[in-house]
Amino acid sequence: METLESERRGAVAIVRLARPPVNAVSRLMMRELRQSFEDLADERDVAAVVLSASGRVFCAGIDLKEQKKEATQGRSNPSVAAVLDSGRFWRDTQHAIRHCPVPVIAAVDGATIGAGFGLVGVCDIIVASEQASFALTEINVGRLGGSAKAMRMVGPFKARMMFFSGEAVPAAEFYRLGAVEEIVEAGQAEARAIAMGEKFASKSPIALRLAKESMLRIEDMPVEDAYRTEQDYTQRLKTYNDSAEALLAYLEKRSPEWTWS
């Protein structure tokens, strides 16, 4: 990978943005992110993924220099999809992260701007350091986007202020509003996210994946429909041996032994 670093810590996979100086999102990074998360989707020994970044900035947004070059010189042999729907490639990248079968934990240890905010917004959990910040600066550079994620994370009114002003919001405010799970010291976000992932690794790998899938399905449903869907997923989980093992281990006060069956 040219724009990413990847490693494993037991059952936790780490995908790290590594495109200095500010981890701007290029087309190559989009492609590599999508490929990385699609590959991880089939890994049985992965219980969680940490999305992190190297350097002082988590992600400064879309590579505007690349976009300017494409606007003035055009892209060589663009695909049909690129011609008809230029934003599809970026949406597909985010879809691969959001629909990763296991929990994805964002470890934010610096400024998170524009497209970087979009990446964080499709993760399941956010751990941020005290020096992290979040901003939707699209309006400052003749672009729009990101408010849908902001409304889910901090509510419609705070999202409007962010979207209209383009101003950065400190991690402490995102924690107060419930979007950030935990604030840690500078430089410690990735380590804390890995520790969370290791906690998830103690759960049934089947239950963990069905839990993620069910939450994605019910998020925008009316509450009665959502709960019925959850009950259906419970019945589905109960067809696996791991479900019976979870109950027995709990009653017998021992650690469960998962068999992927």
Side-chain angles (χ1 to χ4, degrees):
M1 296 286 182
E2 295 182 35
T3 68
L4 305 176
E5 297 170 351
S6 61
E7 62 177 286
R8 294 285 181 89
R9 302 281 183 88
V12 180
I14 303 164
V15 177
R16 193 178 295 117
L17 309 184
R19 188 170 183 254
V22 292
N23 296 319
V25 178
S26 64
R27 292 194 178 277
L28 178 58
M29 182 184 281
M30 292 181 201
R31 185 180 304 113
E32 291 185 345
L33 277 168
R34 180 180 176 184
Q35 187 63 59
S36 294
F37 277 86
E38 288 179 347
D39 289 346
L40 288 169
D42 290 326
E43 296 279 351
R44 285 194 174 198
D45 60 347
V46 171
V49 182
V50 171
L51 180 61
S52 183
S54 61
R56 298 177 61 186
V57 176
F58 180 85
C59 178
I62 289 290
D63 187 336
L64 295 175
K65 292 181 180 178
E66 182 180 70
Q67 287 206 340
K68 180 182 177 182
K69 181 179 179 180
E70 289 180 356
T72 55
Q73 301 179 13
R75 292 177 59 187
S76 59
N77 300 317
S79 66
V80 172
V83 173
L84 299 179
D85 183 358
S86 61
R88 177 180 172 182
F89 197 44
W90 179 226
R91 295 199 309 276
D92 288 347
T93 300
Q94 294 178 83
H95 184 277
I97 298 171
R98 178 168 164 75
H99 289 269
C100 181
V102 296
V104 180
I105 309 165
V108 183
D109 197 20
T112 304
I113 300 167
F117 184 93
L119 289 175
V120 171
V122 292
C123 294
D124 297 294
I125 297 169
I126 305 169
V127 177
S129 80
E130 54 198 10
Q131 67 183 6
S133 62
F134 303 87
L136 292 173
T137 58
E138 283 85 347
I139 199 167
N140 298 336
V141 293
R143 302 290 188 271
L144 295 176
S147 62
K149 299 179 187 69
M151 284 191 282
R152 289 176 56 246
M153 295 165 74
V154 297
F157 294 99
K158 188 65 176 181
R160 281 173 166 79
M161 186 63 188
M162 291 182 67
F163 203 46
F164 299 154
S165 70
E167 295 174 351
V169 178
E173 179 69 356
F174 265 54
Y175 175 77
R176 186 185 73 83
L177 293 168
V180 166
E181 174 65 23
E182 190 173 329
I183 300 285
V184 297
E185 293 181 1
Q188 296 302 307
E190 184 178 291
R192 182 64 187 123
I194 292 170
M196 285 186 179
E198 290 171 343
K199 180 185 295 186
F200 300 151
S202 68
K203 312 303 180 184
S204 159
I206 295 175
L208 196 64
R209 285 160 173 79
L210 290 178
K212 171 78 180 272
E213 184 181 315
S214 69
M215 289 198 75
L216 286 172
R217 290 190 63 182
I218 70 172
E219 189 167 15
D220 297 316
M221 284 184 181
V223 65
E224 292 183 356
D225 295 338
Y227 188 56
R228 171 57 193 270
T229 300
E230 288 185 281
Q231 289 182 318
D232 291 342
Y233 269 86
T234 295
Q235 294 303 315
R236 181 175 167 188
L237 177 58
K238 287 166 67 175
T239 65
Y240 292 92
N241 293 329
D242 272 8
S243 176
E245 170 63 8
L247 180 58
L248 283 174
Y250 177 80
L251 294 174
E252 296 171 1
K253 296 181 173 56
R254 61 172 174 79
S255 297
E257 298 180 6
W258 310 124
T259 60
W260 262 101
S261 64

